[in-house]
Amino acid sequence: MTAVQIIAILGLCWLVPKLADVKIAPITWAALLVLLATLLMPVFQLVPLPWALWTELPGRELAEAIRTRSGLANSASPLSLRPEATLQDLLALLPPAAAFVAVLFLDERGRMAVLRALVAVAVLNAVLGALQLAYGGAGLFAVFHSAHRGDALGLFVNHNHSATFLLIGMVASGVPRLFDGRGRTAGQWPVAVGVATLLALAVLGTTSRTGLLTLPIALLLFAYLRFPHGWRWQWGLAGALLLAAIVVGLAQTPLAQTTLARFAVVDQDGRQTFWSNTLYAIGRYFPWGSGFGTFTTIYPTIEPLDQVVVPIVNHAHNDYLELALEGGFPAMLLLAAALSLAVFAWLRALSAPPADRWQSRSLTIAAGGIVAIVLLHSADDYPLRMSAIAVPFAACLAMSFPRGRRRHARPGRPAWRWVRLVPAMAAGLLLGWQAVSMGVASFFLLRDAPGQAVRWRSGSADAWSRIATQRAIAADWSGSADAARIALERAPMDAAALRALGLAEAAAKRMDVAAQLMLLAGQLGWRDIPTQLWLIQRSNEVEDRVVVAQRADGLLRQNTQSVLLLGTLRDLLADPAGGIAVAKQLALRPPWRQAFLASLGGDGRVRGEEIAALYRQLAAAGAPADTAESAALLDGLWRAGRYPEVEAVWRAAGGEKLVGDGAFERSGSAPRGIGPFTWQAPGLLGANVGIETPDHAWQGKALLVATKSIAAGPAVRQRLVLAPGRYALRFMLRDGGKAATRPSWAMACAPAFSTDSPSLPTAWSAAQRGWVRGEARFEVGPACPAQEIRLIVTPMQGVRSLWIDEVSVARMPSK
């Protein structure tokens, strides 16, 4: 990235002084002024402001409190809450700015060459994406490590960005004479159609929903550009039918099916919540914004606990909202001005007579279409944050404006040339040094060498924050505090630096100050692990159970410190207030909820009444734990021999009957449950057990037991907790064999669960549709605290299949 920025700086230093040598239309000058204002906006955000003025800016309350508690009050601060990131955003604007200015100098032939280059790279991206699909996203062709590995990423990390670039290439490939600049058009359309088809298939390979939705727009633009004279109603009808047939055919492919399936979970990808939270943040920082590049600093401060996920939210997935947050009203005003100028210039170019046009109509339409597609994608993602898309976007945007025309030669004035060149060279040297120093500092930070990084960027808050952490690990508390204050002076909302300062104050036994600093660090989000652990420990000491449960919830949602934090939450159950606090977090149904419930069964310190109380609180909160969710907990209690508690939890989880899932409607396709009250197949040799729907079903699904002649013994079992007394085990059976060969049931007692328990005598009665009723009676004594019922099959000639349904256990009246 640094190399690209250096090239852009050199290009701007060479091109900008030449603007005085060409004749530029007023609308193009207006566009250049908007571009200059765009580049200056981050500069203005970096200008230090007096403390009194800075504290009056909206949204600075938390940053002001941090600087005050850190001893940094009354010092000048820039508008941006993260100046280093703002400077990075400024440097990232230089490549598209250079592309915009460069294209203004190009004639139609040069602009066609730009589109050819885009098409060539798009084809390369498509081919590489196809190879990645063929190799499963691994191996030599996996260019980058990505969460979207397995999709056709091509040269990109994000499948949405790859789709955007492919669509750019598709629209560009529709421009006539693109594949032969010498004017021969006879053999061009098959090549263009082939390229567009390849790129369309590659878009499907990305599995990008946004790409799939905008693919028809790109195809229509391609068709209009490539066949501008074929848009009669007959051709339109034929084309529509052909397109419909292609769409139907492609919809049946695995790639299309994968993409379409992703629309079913569109409400689960988090974008709507990102947008809602970003809108809230905009309201806090409007109208001046928080500073470019500060999204990842601001978003954690307003991120709701129940939306914390493992990957951080790095962007709003809507560039317009993110721009409004970081740049405020001035940025939105510049955006409106830029779009208005672009639309006006584009319409003017299309409406101008042929003699006055600066380029072909098809080139203008293609450039406008590319700009529109990228702007559409920006409403659902952040393609313009990628230089690989921002540069083509800027180049195509420039094609909407009249190109500069060289003025008539005039006598040279060397002194005037130097007046123009010297400021450009000075600005270039300054920007170049900033790009190089930031690139080298980032290189050292990636290698965990912040000391080397500050030699290149003495003002790098990230480097000083890392140094503060390293010194804290080495117990150099004074040095850690000094480094932390340097970082906070430059970036007051740096969570790691604030935490390092708080720990340094705690090491110095200034606990009141430390607590205040760590509480402020906690307000910067849920993601700094040491901060959250410190706050959990401190809250435990002051018996603030609610804070302990909330902070533990925030960390567990990030899959960190799970063993420690689950133990902390289990300890809270011993206190009534703590149990209520834990239940409140579990009622939100966090991803760690089932793991926590399962852990209760293996912790002997947690009493049965505490578990029962937790279940009652969950039910009262409208988020009861069901029997499936409680299976692992029941298994743990069973293995520990805590049979009375097994029954209590089973009832609290909604278990109403004495046997679990006797109708086999909730056990999936095979009896593979864990713990009591679930059906389990012990793996009897010669027997295959499954749960299916028979042809002549008694009622829905049933247990299917297919046996061979060698099968003899228990085919399926379930463990129960029955109180002493007399019981009847009833079931339905469909089997074509004789009564003597029908299966039977056996009952074994805990803790031994004898393997040679005798079969229970069964009484049979006829039913309907080939089914018979069976009833086996047995008695549970005081020495039998838990039981296991087993379905016993007997050997017989050949292969047979039998169905079992409606298994129930009922208590019989005493004799």
Side-chain angles (χ1 to χ4, degrees), residues 504-519:
E505 294 292 342
K509 307 300 182 183
R510 292 189 285 269
M511 295 305 299
D512 289 342
V513 177
Q516 293 171 355
L517 291 172
M518 296 301 284
L519 285 173

Side-chain angles (χ1 to χ4, degrees), residues 531-550:
T531 298
Q532 301 304 323
L533 291 176
W534 193 95
L535 290 172
I536 288 171
Q537 180 182 1
R538 180 67 173 175
S539 300
N540 243 336
E541 292 172 356
V542 299
E543 298 184 352
D544 192 340
R545 310 306 189 198
V546 174
V547 172
V548 172
Q550 289 178 341

